[in-house]
């Protein structure tokens, strides 16, 4: 399950995107958030990965 919250960040001439994914812990069943800053082309791959 992924919560798609994407914000655009610009640093100089390079364009970056911050993606936030909600991940369920198999041990406790609680949800936590995983954040990553990456190239916009890699966002869909990051969100689809478990």
């Amino acid at each position: 399950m992924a919560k798609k919250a994407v914000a655009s960040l610009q640093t100089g001439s390079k364009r970056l995107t911050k993606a936030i994914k909600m991940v369920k812990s198999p041990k406790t069943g609680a949800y936590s958030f995983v954040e990553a800053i990456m190239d916009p082309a890699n966002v869909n791959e990051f969100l689809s990965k478990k």
Side-chain angles (χ1 to χ4, degrees):
M1 174 175 279
K3 177 182 179 183
K4 189 172 184 179
V6 177
S8 295
L9 307 172
Q10 285 188 328
T11 57
S13 63
K14 186 161 183 154
R15 186 172 168 86
L16 299 173
T17 302
K18 180 177 182 180
I20 303 171
K21 178 169 63 169
M22 191 166 71
V23 179
K24 186 175 182 179
S25 170
K27 196 172 193 178
T28 63
Y31 287 95
S32 63
F33 293 95
V34 177
E35 299 181 16
I37 296 176
M38 66 192 75
D39 185 47
N42 299 333
V43 172
N44 286 335
E45 180 183 329
F46 171 74
L47 292 175
S48 65
K49 198 178 356 174
K50 280 208 166 193

